[in-house]
Amino acid sequence: MKIIILSVYLLLLSHQTVTEEQVQHVIGEKGEDTTLQCSSPPINVSSLYQWKKNGVVVASQIPPEPSDRLSILNDGSLKISGLQYIDGGQYQCESQPEGFGTWQAHSNLLLQVAGGPTNIVLNITQATALKNGTLFVKKGSDVFFNCSSESVPSQNLTWKFENSASTGAVDKAFGSKSTLGFFISDIQPADQGNYTCVSQNTLSMRTENKSQELLVYYAPERHPECSWEKGNQGPSDFLFICTWHEGYPVPTLEWHEVLKPPVIAKGPTINSTSQETERLEVHVNRFILTDGEEVKCVARHVTGEQNNCSFTLKIPYPTGNPMVTALEGTSVKLQCSETNSLPPATTVWKKNDTVINNTSKYVLSENDLQYTLTIVNVTEEDEGIYKCYSENPLGVKELDVILTVKTTSGGGVVVGIFVSVLIIMIGIVIGVTAYTKRDRICIGLGFGSSSEDRGDIFSLVDSEDEEIFHDAVPRLPPLTNGHATTLVEIHRIPSNEDAADSSEYTDQIRTDQTEPEQ
Ligand SMILES: *[C@@H]1O[C@H](CO)[C@@H](O)[C@H](O)[C@H]1NC(C)=O
Ligand SMILES: *[C@@H]1O[C@H](CO)[C@@H](O)[C@H](O)[C@H]1NC(C)=O
Ligand SMILES: *[C@@H]1O[C@H](CO)[C@@H](O)[C@H](O)[C@H]1NC(C)=O
Ligand SMILES: *[C@@H]1O[C@H](CO)[C@@H](O)[C@H](O)[C@H]1NC(C)=O
């Protein structure tokens, strides 16, 4: 009876073994633990188990003892801890009912060990890293994207792109090798966004990815612009403005004073603020600026582009006719022109240190930097000194205009006619005398005029010139010996003029400055 039951049981077992001839696939991942099931263990029979790998016993419940990583669990399944690639292979479970010598084969399993994806490395050429790890490239550059990763046995790589404008990720490239690259030539702002490389293990189907944010930077195409604006704290309050628009990201702007050799003593420098902004404003006043000085805005962009703009500061310099005569009862125009000043001056007319406003008596007009004061119905009281007062952050300059008023009384007219007749008669007498004694006069001119006299004539003309244009300016110190002005020195006057002028101006502004050398 016992034998019959056992026979039936063995028949059943052999039948099962036949059905399990099909190979069962098991995929494990490197480093992980896996358990291979020994299917259909004998019921109610305490059995011994062993496992074969590629036909060789690798674990058994009878000696030899299982290795560290391989162990047979109570239900006969094989546990492999810390999977390695060498663990891959054909596994078979065998059981031996206790006391019986024949091993019965059960499961037939194919274990494959997959690894990765690991070590995803992204490489974007031409790109520069920012502090937060984001990369940027210059607009227009050719950019190569490469991705590599490690996978066993193989992988599937995909480059995806996503930005705020795109709806979902867009596939850029796809490949099944261990590296995958693609190329963007003439990269544009639309290419800015997140680039992701997705790596998928073709065996385990495990997916890993790595992203990189890429920004496309560009410097403004136009030049930076230097300009100025009047402040609201009076004529010496100015804003120097530097702008450099349409770059991404915004540039860095700086205002500098450009020192001209020889270096002149100067006060505190312009607050050279370095700011990340498209527009940089700097408040200036007369204590930090000097005439003839160049101020410069240096504009830098993170892409390496650098540009600048500048302007040269000039003190006001009102010019005009310093002597004006008017007939009583008429209207007279005093004119003053202010074309030198940079930044532009505020120019007003003053009398007795009082600013003249538009009234029925005074009509003020300005046209193309020409400032006109019209005095209506001139009387003797209008006589005096009028000042064309011009001010900018560098300082103040005045042009004095002296108005003389001639009365038009009856007696005056008679005297006028008498004087005219007298002048004509004197002219005739001198003319006749000169004609009759012309020989002596010619000799006198020929031998009497020395080179010194000639020099004096030239210098006189020159100083008259100065009188007209530099009326408000303190006089130049006398040249050399004060008398003999040779032709050579006349040529020196224009070349010294700038230095002399600037020293005068700066004297007005600052008193601690030493006189420049002649
Ligand atoms: C990194 O910095 C850049 C510039 O400062 C910025 O535009 C970008 O959004 C930052 N990215 C992240 C992920 O913070
Ligand atoms: C690789 O991935 C693509 C899509 O991401 C898919 O169509 C393809 O079948 C995959 N190939 C393999 C071998 O997994
Ligand atoms: C790119 O990814 C970062 C985080 O990884 C995110 O903050 C940013 O908004 C993304 N940018 C775009 C354009 O999708
Ligand atoms: C001019 O001024 C005088 C004296 O102030 C005055 O008497 C005269 O009416 C004025 N004439 C005109 C045209 O305003």
Side-chain angles (χ1 to χ4, degrees), residues 100-291:
F100 294 87
T102 356
W103 289 97
Q104 301 292 321
H106 304 282
S107 321
N108 198 357
L109 302 124
L110 183 66
L111 174 66
Q112 286 174 291
V113 181
T118 53
N119 289 343
I120 302 181
V121 176
L122 307 184
N123 189 19
I124 302 178
T125 60
Q126 311 286 335
T128 311
L130 296 170
K131 274 185 209 130
N132 63 8
T134 295
L135 299 179
F136 77 83
V137 290
K138 274 172 86 168
K139 178 187 162 190
S141 53
D142 298 337
V143 182
F144 186 73
F145 297 76
N146 194 53
C147 172
S148 65
S149 86
E150 288 165 15
S151 287
V152 174
S154 67
Q155 66 199 323
N156 210 346
L157 292 174
T158 314
W159 267 110
K160 289 175 185 289
F161 169 69
E162 190 169 20
N163 70 9
S164 44
S166 61
T167 49
V170 181
D171 283 10
K172 282 278 183 184
F174 164 75
S176 55
K177 297 214 176 91
S178 62
T179 71
L180 172 67
F182 76 101
F183 186 73
I184 300 179
S185 65
D186 187 19
I187 199 162
Q188 294 299 309
D191 298 316
Q192 173 171 310
N194 284 336
Y195 288 84
T196 305
C197 177
V198 182
S199 180
Q200 186 177 43
N201 189 302
T202 50
L203 182 62
S204 66
M205 295 300 164
R206 180 187 284 277
T207 296
E208 296 288 338
N209 59 54
K210 196 166 182 181
S211 284
Q212 178 61 59
E213 186 176 35
L214 184 73
L215 304 174
V216 180
Y217 281 178
Y218 47 93
E221 282 175 18
R222 296 184 296 176
H223 265 275
E225 280 172 26
C226 284
S227 61
W228 51 76
E229 239 172 47
K230 279 186 179 171
N232 45 20
Q233 313 285 322
S236 75
D237 177 34
F238 259 83
L239 277 177
F240 286 176
I241 299 156
C242 179
T243 56
W244 203 25
H245 289 299
E246 290 168 21
Y248 172 73
V250 291
T252 306
L253 304 176
E254 283 174 24
W255 272 109
H256 289 286
E257 284 176 287
V258 181
L259 294 182
K260 293 194 301 177
V263 178
I264 43 169
K266 55 167 64 245
T269 51
I270 292 180
N271 182 18
S272 151
T273 342
S274 175
Q275 260 176 271
E276 291 256 342
T277 171
E278 287 190 326
R279 178 183 165 105
L280 175 63
E281 294 179 359
V282 147
H283 258 283
V284 294
N285 61 51
R286 67 182 49 169
F287 301 108
I288 55 174
L289 302 172
T290 45
D291 185 36

Side-chain angles (χ1 to χ4, degrees), residues 310-353:
S310 69
F311 49 85
T312 302
L313 303 171
K314 286 183 184 156
I315 200 159
Y317 200 80
T319 57
N321 189 354
M323 303 286 282
V324 175
T325 310
L327 273 179
E328 192 174 29
T330 63
S331 291
V332 66
K333 281 186 175 170
L334 309 186
Q335 285 190 318
C336 162
S337 152
E338 175 52 79
T339 55
N340 189 66
S341 176
L342 204 146
T346 302
T347 305
V348 293
W349 283 98
K350 281 188 177 182
K351 194 187 184 190
N352 303 329
D353 285 332

